Amino acid sequence: MSRIDVCVAACADLFLGAGEILASPMGLIPQLGAKLARLTAEPDLLMSDGEAYLLGENGIEGWLPYRKVFDVVAGGRRHVVMGANQLDRFGNQNISCIGDHDKPTRQLLGFRGAPGNTVNHRTSYWVPKHSKRIFVPQVDVVSGVGHDRGFHHVHRVVTNLCVLDFATPDGSMRLVSTHPGVTVEEVLDNTGFPLQTDQVGTTREPSPQELELIDKLDPDHARD
Amino acid sequence: MRDKRMSAAEVAAELSDGMTVGIGGWGSRRKPMALVRAILDSPVRDLTVVSYGGPDVGLLCAAGKVRRLVFGFVSLDSIAYDPWFQRVRQQGGIEVSEYDEGMFYSGLLAASHRLPFLPIRAGLGSDVMRVNPELKTVRSPYDDEELVAMPALNLDVALVHLNRADRHGNGQYLGPDPYFDDLFCLAAKRRFLSCERIVDTSELDGPPQSLLTNRMMVDGVVETPNGAHFTSCVPDYGRDEKFQRHYAKSAADEELWPSFVDQFLSRGETGYQLAVQGLSS
């Protein structure tokens, strides 16, 4: 088993208890996670092909062009896993630009749907390379809204090192578990703000059955 | 019934300096690129461009046509960022109104319905409010909930590209997603539709739901085969990934860009399509 399989299982666990909602995982690892969840604990999840179709077990089961995605966002039956160029301790996320918004040092994608996602439904983040460049004391532009700004739907952050959540009295980030072989120090050394570390566990390893499913979902190991 | 056929150059000539131009499609998908290329060849400038941005934005920025961009994102999809858009932003070369993409949709819908604004939750708590200080909120008269009052995105001109149309402006998309092209047309004073092929009305076969624009939504129809290139126009063709990589590489390097312009953007649409054929063979 590799570290990345642990990350896939941790992404699958984001959807525990989700039921019949739209899972919108951005990026390969969250996608594998959502598919794994649907094959195991959460068979009722809906997923799109990234274009205009809902794909069920036996192919197309529905039509969801971009404009109808906005209906789902506003209706709230969705859990998105987004990426982040910057993320602060309250879960504020930046995918817009680095530096001054009038004249950025680096232009990124733009707000995309992050402001709407985070005020309407559950949001998690996937960070493939946990570093101080991403986990910053303060984001330059708030695209996705965090817990200190009056919204409470940021669920978890899964990174290549650990799983984080916001289950603290002030809604700031807490280290839930480190992946097998990763120390708490390693996480802290790569995070640009203090983390609550009272009860840190070890991220679960995927079961043999889950590993088999992950291999079936990604036979060419694009995840590695 | 009116015959609305015209050329891409005639569409470009309808634009004047300072106009607000909405461009249909989404990212690097079904963009009216032949119409964009015609604008590159025209003297028009200082445009406010309203777009779910892809290479349309990059090319117009490269040619210095854009004064302000109204957007939720600019992306080439299979390549995350458009290098030209990044460059002009990082030089502070354009003004921007950057919104959440759902707010953008509400703005188009408000304009389509001739409403001054539509309420939406998106934007609350985020820096959308900080970087657009003119944005206001409203209180629900029913339960006092605070909502963003997304202003109408009123357009002078809309440019969209579909798979088929008749000469009257009845337009048809054959791919899986209408994007927002009908809303762009409804939000604009003057509406121009390019398409892969102009056919007789009776030949617009396929499900009637695929007829996205009707003729009262369109003022001009342009037949531009391969006119969304290098963005996708399924099922007629997918995105030309090889060409897009070539564009992105050239756009990222100021020394390479002049030869891209020389090879592809200096001999009109016919020259462009010939050069594209030459590159792929």
Side-chain angles (χ1 to χ4, degrees), chain A residues 75-125:
Chain A
R77 296 186 69 86
R78 183 172 185 245
H79 182 165
V80 67
V81 186
M82 289 192 282
N85 298 93
Q86 293 179 323
L87 204 57
D88 74 14
R89 60 195 285 255
F90 291 104
N92 293 293
Q93 167 243 32
N94 178 15
I95 51 171
S96 173
C97 64
I98 303 296
D100 179 4
H101 191 267
D102 287 337
K103 191 183 174 189
T105 52
R106 183 161 164 74
Q107 174 65 44
L108 305 167
L109 283 174
F111 284 120
R112 291 230 68 149
N117 292 343
T118 45
V119 297
N120 279 302
H121 56 67
R122 188 170 269 212
T123 299
S124 294
Y125 293 102

Short mmCIF file of all heavy atoms in Angstrom, two decimals, chain A residues 75-125:
data_model
loop_
_atom_site.label_atom_id
_atom_site.label_comp_id
_atom_site.label_asym_id
_atom_site.label_seq_id
_atom_site.Cartn_x
_atom_site.Cartn_y
_atom_site.Cartn_z
N GLY A 75 -29.25 24.92 -4.15
CA GLY A 75 -30.14 24.05 -3.39
C GLY A 75 -29.44 23.35 -2.24
O GLY A 75 -30.10 22.90 -1.30
N GLY A 76 -28.12 23.24 -2.33
CA GLY A 76 -27.35 22.76 -1.20
C GLY A 76 -27.09 21.26 -1.14
O GLY A 76 -26.41 20.80 -0.23
N ARG A 77 -27.62 20.48 -2.09
CA ARG A 77 -27.41 19.02 -2.03
C ARG A 77 -26.11 18.66 -2.74
O ARG A 77 -26.09 17.99 -3.79
CB ARG A 77 -28.59 18.28 -2.67
CG ARG A 77 -29.90 18.48 -1.92
CD ARG A 77 -30.99 17.61 -2.51
NE ARG A 77 -30.74 16.20 -2.25
CZ ARG A 77 -31.10 15.56 -1.14
NH1 ARG A 77 -31.74 16.20 -0.18
NH2 ARG A 77 -30.84 14.29 -0.98
N ARG A 78 -25.00 19.11 -2.18
CA ARG A 78 -23.72 18.92 -2.85
C ARG A 78 -22.60 18.97 -1.82
O ARG A 78 -22.70 19.69 -0.82
CB ARG A 78 -23.53 20.03 -3.89
CG ARG A 78 -22.28 19.94 -4.74
CD ARG A 78 -22.35 20.99 -5.84
NE ARG A 78 -21.26 20.92 -6.79
CZ ARG A 78 -20.34 21.88 -6.95
NH1 ARG A 78 -20.37 22.97 -6.21
NH2 ARG A 78 -19.39 21.75 -7.85
N HIS A 79 -21.55 18.19 -2.06
CA HIS A 79 -20.32 18.29 -1.28
C HIS A 79 -19.18 18.39 -2.29
O HIS A 79 -18.95 17.46 -3.06
CB HIS A 79 -20.16 17.05 -0.38
CG HIS A 79 -18.94 17.08 0.50
ND1 HIS A 79 -18.78 16.22 1.57
CD2 HIS A 79 -17.83 17.85 0.49
CE1 HIS A 79 -17.63 16.46 2.17
NE2 HIS A 79 -17.03 17.45 1.53
N VAL A 80 -18.52 19.55 -2.31
CA VAL A 80 -17.43 19.77 -3.26
C VAL A 80 -16.10 19.57 -2.53
O VAL A 80 -15.96 19.90 -1.35
CB VAL A 80 -17.51 21.18 -3.89
CG1 VAL A 80 -17.26 22.28 -2.87
CG2 VAL A 80 -16.56 21.34 -5.06
N VAL A 81 -15.15 18.99 -3.25
CA VAL A 81 -13.77 18.94 -2.77
C VAL A 81 -12.95 19.78 -3.73
O VAL A 81 -12.75 19.40 -4.88
CB VAL A 81 -13.22 17.50 -2.71
CG1 VAL A 81 -11.83 17.50 -2.07
CG2 VAL A 81 -14.17 16.59 -1.95
N MET A 82 -12.52 20.94 -3.27
CA MET A 82 -11.76 21.86 -4.12
C MET A 82 -10.28 21.80 -3.80
O MET A 82 -9.87 21.28 -2.77
CB MET A 82 -12.25 23.30 -3.90
CG MET A 82 -13.62 23.61 -4.45
SD MET A 82 -13.99 25.39 -4.45
CE MET A 82 -14.39 25.67 -2.74
N GLY A 83 -9.49 22.34 -4.70
CA GLY A 83 -8.08 22.58 -4.44
C GLY A 83 -7.92 23.94 -3.79
O GLY A 83 -8.91 24.65 -3.56
N ALA A 84 -6.69 24.29 -3.45
CA ALA A 84 -6.44 25.59 -2.84
C ALA A 84 -5.01 26.02 -3.15
O ALA A 84 -4.09 25.23 -3.01
CB ALA A 84 -6.64 25.52 -1.33
N ASN A 85 -4.85 27.26 -3.60
CA ASN A 85 -3.51 27.82 -3.73
C ASN A 85 -3.03 28.37 -2.41
O ASN A 85 -1.84 28.38 -2.11
CB ASN A 85 -3.48 28.91 -4.79
CG ASN A 85 -3.86 28.39 -6.16
OD1 ASN A 85 -5.02 28.43 -6.55
ND2 ASN A 85 -2.89 27.84 -6.87
N GLN A 86 -3.97 28.84 -1.59
CA GLN A 86 -3.69 29.24 -0.21
C GLN A 86 -4.87 28.83 0.66
O GLN A 86 -6.01 28.85 0.20
CB GLN A 86 -3.49 30.76 -0.09
CG GLN A 86 -2.26 31.31 -0.77
CD GLN A 86 -2.16 32.82 -0.61
OE1 GLN A 86 -3.17 33.53 -0.65
NE2 GLN A 86 -0.95 33.32 -0.44
N LEU A 87 -4.57 28.49 1.93
CA LEU A 87 -5.61 28.09 2.87
C LEU A 87 -5.17 28.57 4.25
O LEU A 87 -4.02 28.37 4.63
CB LEU A 87 -5.72 26.56 2.85
CG LEU A 87 -7.00 25.85 3.26
CD1 LEU A 87 -8.20 26.30 2.43
CD2 LEU A 87 -6.82 24.34 3.10
N ASP A 88 -6.07 29.23 4.99
CA ASP A 88 -5.68 29.69 6.32
C ASP A 88 -6.32 28.82 7.40
O ASP A 88 -7.03 27.86 7.12
CB ASP A 88 -5.96 31.19 6.51
CG ASP A 88 -7.45 31.51 6.69
OD1 ASP A 88 -8.25 30.59 6.95
OD2 ASP A 88 -7.80 32.70 6.58
N ARG A 89 -6.05 29.17 8.67
CA ARG A 89 -6.45 28.27 9.76
C ARG A 89 -7.95 28.19 9.96
O ARG A 89 -8.45 27.28 10.62
CB ARG A 89 -5.76 28.70 11.07
CG ARG A 89 -6.08 30.11 11.53
CD ARG A 89 -5.09 30.54 12.60
NE ARG A 89 -5.35 29.90 13.88
CZ ARG A 89 -5.91 30.51 14.92
NH1 ARG A 89 -6.28 31.78 14.84
NH2 ARG A 89 -6.09 29.87 16.05
N PHE A 90 -8.71 29.12 9.41
CA PHE A 90 -10.17 29.04 9.50
C PHE A 90 -10.81 28.44 8.23
O PHE A 90 -12.03 28.40 8.10
CB PHE A 90 -10.76 30.42 9.79
CG PHE A 90 -10.44 30.92 11.17
CD1 PHE A 90 -9.48 31.89 11.36
CD2 PHE A 90 -11.08 30.37 12.28
CE1 PHE A 90 -9.17 32.34 12.65
CE2 PHE A 90 -10.77 30.80 13.56
CZ PHE A 90 -9.82 31.79 13.75
N GLY A 91 -9.94 28.01 7.30
CA GLY A 91 -10.47 27.39 6.09
C GLY A 91 -10.82 28.39 5.00
O GLY A 91 -11.52 28.05 4.05
N ASN A 92 -10.36 29.64 5.13
CA ASN A 92 -10.49 30.56 3.99
C ASN A 92 -9.53 30.10 2.89
O ASN A 92 -8.36 29.79 3.17
CB ASN A 92 -10.15 32.00 4.41
CG ASN A 92 -11.17 32.56 5.39
OD1 ASN A 92 -12.32 32.78 5.03
ND2 ASN A 92 -10.74 32.77 6.63
N GLN A 93 -10.03 30.08 1.66
CA GLN A 93 -9.26 29.51 0.55
C GLN A 93 -9.08 30.56 -0.54
O GLN A 93 -9.97 31.38 -0.78
CB GLN A 93 -10.03 28.30 0.00
CG GLN A 93 -9.56 27.75 -1.32
CD GLN A 93 -10.63 27.85 -2.41
OE1 GLN A 93 -11.44 28.77 -2.42
NE2 GLN A 93 -10.65 26.90 -3.32
N ASN A 94 -7.92 30.52 -1.19
CA ASN A 94 -7.65 31.43 -2.30
C ASN A 94 -7.32 30.63 -3.57
O ASN A 94 -6.39 29.82 -3.55
CB ASN A 94 -6.48 32.36 -1.94
CG ASN A 94 -6.11 33.30 -3.09
OD1 ASN A 94 -6.87 33.47 -4.04
ND2 ASN A 94 -4.93 33.90 -2.99
N ILE A 95 -8.09 30.86 -4.62
CA ILE A 95 -7.74 30.34 -5.95
C ILE A 95 -7.79 31.48 -6.98
O ILE A 95 -7.81 31.25 -8.18
CB ILE A 95 -8.68 29.19 -6.41
CG1 ILE A 95 -10.16 29.59 -6.26
CG2 ILE A 95 -8.39 27.91 -5.66
CD1 ILE A 95 -11.13 28.60 -6.90
N SER A 96 -7.84 32.72 -6.47
CA SER A 96 -8.02 33.87 -7.37
C SER A 96 -6.69 34.43 -7.87
O SER A 96 -6.41 34.40 -9.06
CB SER A 96 -8.82 34.94 -6.64
OG SER A 96 -8.89 36.11 -7.40
N CYS A 97 -5.90 34.96 -6.95
CA CYS A 97 -4.60 35.47 -7.36
C CYS A 97 -3.73 35.66 -6.13
O CYS A 97 -4.23 35.76 -5.01
CB CYS A 97 -4.72 36.78 -8.14
SG CYS A 97 -5.39 38.17 -7.20
N ILE A 98 -2.42 35.72 -6.34
CA ILE A 98 -1.47 35.96 -5.26
C ILE A 98 -1.06 37.43 -5.32
O ILE A 98 -0.77 37.95 -6.40
CB ILE A 98 -0.22 35.06 -5.40
CG1 ILE A 98 -0.62 33.56 -5.44
CG2 ILE A 98 0.77 35.32 -4.28
CD1 ILE A 98 -1.25 33.03 -4.19
N GLY A 99 -1.03 38.08 -4.16
CA GLY A 99 -0.63 39.48 -4.10
C GLY A 99 -1.84 40.40 -4.14
O GLY A 99 -2.96 40.00 -3.82
N ASP A 100 -1.59 41.62 -4.57
CA ASP A 100 -2.62 42.65 -4.63
C ASP A 100 -3.58 42.36 -5.78
O ASP A 100 -3.16 42.14 -6.91
CB ASP A 100 -1.90 44.00 -4.84
CG ASP A 100 -2.86 45.17 -4.94
OD1 ASP A 100 -4.08 44.96 -4.78
OD2 ASP A 100 -2.38 46.29 -5.18
N HIS A 101 -4.88 42.40 -5.50
CA HIS A 101 -5.85 42.02 -6.54
C HIS A 101 -5.81 42.97 -7.74
O HIS A 101 -6.13 42.55 -8.86
CB HIS A 101 -7.27 41.99 -5.95
CG HIS A 101 -8.29 41.38 -6.87
ND1 HIS A 101 -9.06 42.12 -7.74
CD2 HIS A 101 -8.64 40.08 -7.07
CE1 HIS A 101 -9.84 41.31 -8.43
NE2 HIS A 101 -9.62 40.08 -8.05
N ASP A 102 -5.43 44.23 -7.55
CA ASP A 102 -5.36 45.16 -8.67
C ASP A 102 -4.21 44.83 -9.63
O ASP A 102 -4.29 45.07 -10.83
CB ASP A 102 -5.16 46.60 -8.17
CG ASP A 102 -6.42 47.14 -7.54
OD1 ASP A 102 -7.51 46.62 -7.87
OD2 ASP A 102 -6.32 48.06 -6.70
N LYS A 103 -3.14 44.31 -9.05
CA LYS A 103 -1.97 43.98 -9.86
C LYS A 103 -1.28 42.80 -9.21
O LYS A 103 -0.28 42.96 -8.51
CB LYS A 103 -1.03 45.19 -9.97
CG LYS A 103 0.05 45.01 -11.02
CD LYS A 103 1.01 46.20 -11.05
CE LYS A 103 2.15 45.88 -12.01
NZ LYS A 103 3.22 46.88 -11.95
N PRO A 104 -1.81 41.60 -9.43
CA PRO A 104 -1.30 40.43 -8.70
C PRO A 104 0.12 40.06 -9.12
O PRO A 104 0.53 40.34 -10.25
CB PRO A 104 -2.27 39.32 -9.08
CG PRO A 104 -3.04 39.80 -10.25
CD PRO A 104 -2.94 41.29 -10.30
N THR A 105 0.85 39.46 -8.20
CA THR A 105 2.15 38.91 -8.58
C THR A 105 1.95 37.62 -9.37
O THR A 105 2.76 37.25 -10.20
CB THR A 105 3.03 38.61 -7.35
OG1 THR A 105 2.27 37.81 -6.43
CG2 THR A 105 3.43 39.89 -6.65
N ARG A 106 0.84 36.92 -9.08
CA ARG A 106 0.52 35.73 -9.88
C ARG A 106 -0.99 35.59 -10.01
O ARG A 106 -1.71 35.45 -9.02
CB ARG A 106 1.10 34.48 -9.21
CG ARG A 106 0.86 33.20 -10.01
CD ARG A 106 1.82 32.10 -9.57
NE ARG A 106 1.41 30.79 -10.03
CZ ARG A 106 1.50 30.34 -11.29
NH1 ARG A 106 2.00 31.10 -12.23
NH2 ARG A 106 1.09 29.13 -11.61
N GLN A 107 -1.45 35.67 -11.25
CA GLN A 107 -2.87 35.47 -11.53
C GLN A 107 -3.16 33.98 -11.55
O GLN A 107 -2.48 33.21 -12.20
CB GLN A 107 -3.23 36.10 -12.88
CG GLN A 107 -4.66 35.82 -13.35
CD GLN A 107 -5.71 36.45 -12.45
OE1 GLN A 107 -5.58 37.60 -12.03
NE2 GLN A 107 -6.74 35.68 -12.10
N LEU A 108 -4.19 33.56 -10.83
CA LEU A 108 -4.61 32.16 -10.81
C LEU A 108 -5.93 32.03 -11.56
O LEU A 108 -6.22 32.85 -12.44
CB LEU A 108 -4.71 31.68 -9.36
CG LEU A 108 -3.42 31.89 -8.53
CD1 LEU A 108 -3.68 31.69 -7.05
CD2 LEU A 108 -2.32 30.96 -9.02
N LEU A 109 -6.75 31.06 -11.21
CA LEU A 109 -7.98 30.79 -11.99
C LEU A 109 -9.00 31.91 -11.91
O LEU A 109 -9.68 32.25 -12.88
CB LEU A 109 -8.65 29.51 -11.48
CG LEU A 109 -8.05 28.18 -11.92
CD1 LEU A 109 -8.77 27.05 -11.21
CD2 LEU A 109 -8.14 28.01 -13.43
N GLY A 110 -9.15 32.50 -10.72
CA GLY A 110 -10.29 33.38 -10.46
C GLY A 110 -11.14 32.76 -9.37
O GLY A 110 -10.88 31.64 -8.91
N PHE A 111 -12.18 33.50 -8.97
CA PHE A 111 -13.03 33.00 -7.87
C PHE A 111 -13.70 31.67 -8.19
O PHE A 111 -14.06 30.92 -7.30
CB PHE A 111 -14.13 34.02 -7.55
CG PHE A 111 -13.66 35.21 -6.78
CD1 PHE A 111 -13.78 36.49 -7.30
CD2 PHE A 111 -13.12 35.05 -5.51
CE1 PHE A 111 -13.37 37.60 -6.58
CE2 PHE A 111 -12.70 36.17 -4.78
CZ PHE A 111 -12.82 37.44 -5.32
N ARG A 112 -13.92 31.41 -9.48
CA ARG A 112 -14.70 30.23 -9.90
C ARG A 112 -15.99 30.16 -9.07
O ARG A 112 -16.64 31.15 -8.87
CB ARG A 112 -13.86 28.96 -9.77
CG ARG A 112 -12.73 28.94 -10.81
CD ARG A 112 -12.65 27.65 -11.58
NE ARG A 112 -13.79 27.46 -12.46
CZ ARG A 112 -13.76 26.82 -13.60
NH1 ARG A 112 -12.63 26.29 -14.04
NH2 ARG A 112 -14.83 26.68 -14.34
N GLY A 113 -16.32 28.95 -8.57
CA GLY A 113 -17.55 28.84 -7.79
C GLY A 113 -17.30 28.82 -6.31
O GLY A 113 -18.23 28.54 -5.52
N ALA A 114 -16.07 29.14 -5.88
CA ALA A 114 -15.72 28.97 -4.46
C ALA A 114 -16.59 29.80 -3.51
O ALA A 114 -17.05 29.26 -2.49
CB ALA A 114 -14.23 29.27 -4.25
N PRO A 115 -16.86 31.07 -3.82
CA PRO A 115 -17.71 31.83 -2.87
C PRO A 115 -19.10 31.21 -2.73
O PRO A 115 -19.62 31.10 -1.62
CB PRO A 115 -17.78 33.22 -3.51
CG PRO A 115 -16.55 33.34 -4.34
CD PRO A 115 -16.33 31.94 -4.89
N GLY A 116 -19.69 30.79 -3.83
CA GLY A 116 -21.03 30.20 -3.80
C GLY A 116 -21.04 28.83 -3.15
O GLY A 116 -21.94 28.51 -2.36
N ASN A 117 -20.03 28.02 -3.47
CA ASN A 117 -19.97 26.69 -2.86
C ASN A 117 -19.96 26.80 -1.34
O ASN A 117 -20.69 26.10 -0.64
CB ASN A 117 -18.69 25.96 -3.29
CG ASN A 117 -18.69 25.59 -4.76
OD1 ASN A 117 -19.74 25.58 -5.41
ND2 ASN A 117 -17.52 25.30 -5.30
N THR A 118 -19.08 27.67 -0.83
CA THR A 118 -18.83 27.67 0.62
C THR A 118 -19.95 28.30 1.43
O THR A 118 -20.00 28.10 2.64
CB THR A 118 -17.49 28.40 0.92
OG1 THR A 118 -17.44 29.60 0.15
CG2 THR A 118 -16.32 27.52 0.54
N VAL A 119 -20.83 29.08 0.79
CA VAL A 119 -21.98 29.59 1.56
C VAL A 119 -23.22 28.73 1.36
O VAL A 119 -24.24 28.97 2.01
CB VAL A 119 -22.32 31.07 1.24
CG1 VAL A 119 -21.18 31.96 1.64
CG2 VAL A 119 -22.71 31.27 -0.21
N ASN A 120 -23.15 27.76 0.46
CA ASN A 120 -24.34 26.98 0.16
C ASN A 120 -24.30 25.53 0.63
O ASN A 120 -25.33 24.95 0.92
CB ASN A 120 -24.61 26.98 -1.35
CG ASN A 120 -25.33 28.24 -1.81
OD1 ASN A 120 -26.42 28.54 -1.32
ND2 ASN A 120 -24.71 28.99 -2.70
N HIS A 121 -23.12 24.94 0.64
CA HIS A 121 -23.08 23.51 0.97
C HIS A 121 -21.70 23.12 1.50
O HIS A 121 -20.76 23.90 1.49
CB HIS A 121 -23.46 22.66 -0.24
CG HIS A 121 -22.61 22.94 -1.46
ND1 HIS A 121 -21.28 22.63 -1.51
CD2 HIS A 121 -22.91 23.50 -2.66
CE1 HIS A 121 -20.79 22.97 -2.69
NE2 HIS A 121 -21.76 23.51 -3.39
N ARG A 122 -21.63 21.89 1.92
CA ARG A 122 -20.41 21.35 2.52
C ARG A 122 -19.24 21.42 1.53
O ARG A 122 -19.39 21.11 0.35
CB ARG A 122 -20.68 19.91 2.93
CG ARG A 122 -19.60 19.28 3.74
CD ARG A 122 -20.07 17.94 4.29
NE ARG A 122 -20.69 18.12 5.60
CZ ARG A 122 -20.64 17.20 6.57
NH1 ARG A 122 -20.04 16.04 6.36
NH2 ARG A 122 -21.19 17.44 7.73
N THR A 123 -18.10 21.84 2.03
CA THR A 123 -16.91 21.96 1.21
C THR A 123 -15.73 21.33 1.93
O THR A 123 -15.56 21.52 3.13
CB THR A 123 -16.59 23.45 0.94
OG1 THR A 123 -17.69 24.05 0.24
CG2 THR A 123 -15.33 23.62 0.12
N SER A 124 -14.93 20.55 1.20
CA SER A 124 -13.67 20.05 1.72
C SER A 124 -12.56 20.45 0.76
O SER A 124 -12.83 20.92 -0.36
CB SER A 124 -13.70 18.53 1.88
OG SER A 124 -14.64 18.15 2.86
N TYR A 125 -11.32 20.28 1.20
CA TYR A 125 -10.19 20.63 0.35
C TYR A 125 -9.22 19.46 0.26
O TYR A 125 -9.05 18.70 1.20
CB TYR A 125 -9.47 21.87 0.90
CG TYR A 125 -10.34 23.11 0.81
CD1 TYR A 125 -11.00 23.60 1.93
CD2 TYR A 125 -10.53 23.74 -0.41
CE1 TYR A 125 -11.82 24.72 1.84
CE2 TYR A 125 -11.35 24.86 -0.51
CZ TYR A 125 -11.99 25.34 0.61
OH TYR A 125 -12.81 26.43 0.51
#
